[in-house]
Amino acid sequence: MTEQFNVGDHVRWNSEAGHVSGTIIKVHTADSEYKGYTRHASKGDPQYEIKSDKTDHIAMHKGTALTKIRQSNCPSQEQ
């Protein structure tokens, strides 16, 4: 079974431009229209809308294309 992700998870995926990272903003568990195409999804195999960290571009991917990564904006230690 594919790893399940949640809204707010920070993930990485491979695109034509190389590795991209972003935050999941919506989880689709039923078929939906996206940029003129029907994206197939189910509770067992959802599609994820992800907002890119660098460009604010919105992408949609299945969980098999995503890797969960740690948050990089952890508070720094002040001295």
Side-chain angles (χ1 to χ4, degrees):
M1 184 172 160
T2 308
E3 180 177 358
Q4 299 286 306
F5 300 96
N6 299 303
V7 170
D9 285 349
H10 199 225
V11 295
R12 180 176 72 172
W13 67 98
N14 195 13
S15 76
E16 312 83 43
H19 284 100
V20 180
S21 62
T23 303
I24 294 176
I25 59 172
K26 189 170 184 180
V27 179
H28 294 268
T29 57
D31 293 354
S32 60
E33 271 302 298
Y34 184 76
K35 296 186 178 181
Y37 295 94
T38 299
R39 302 299 297 256
H40 298 288
S42 66
K43 288 184 180 181
D45 192 20
Q47 292 262 0
Y48 300 93
E49 275 188 62
I50 310 130
K51 184 176 181 182
S52 169
D53 290 337
K54 291 186 179 180
T55 65
D56 289 338
H57 173 79
I58 305 297
M60 185 180 278
H61 294 290
K62 287 199 172 226
T64 54
L66 304 175
T67 303
K68 191 170 182 179
I69 56 177
R70 293 185 311 161
Q71 294 287 357
S72 60
N73 57 352
C74 296
S76 61
Q77 294 179 348
E78 297 183 25
Q79 295 182 4

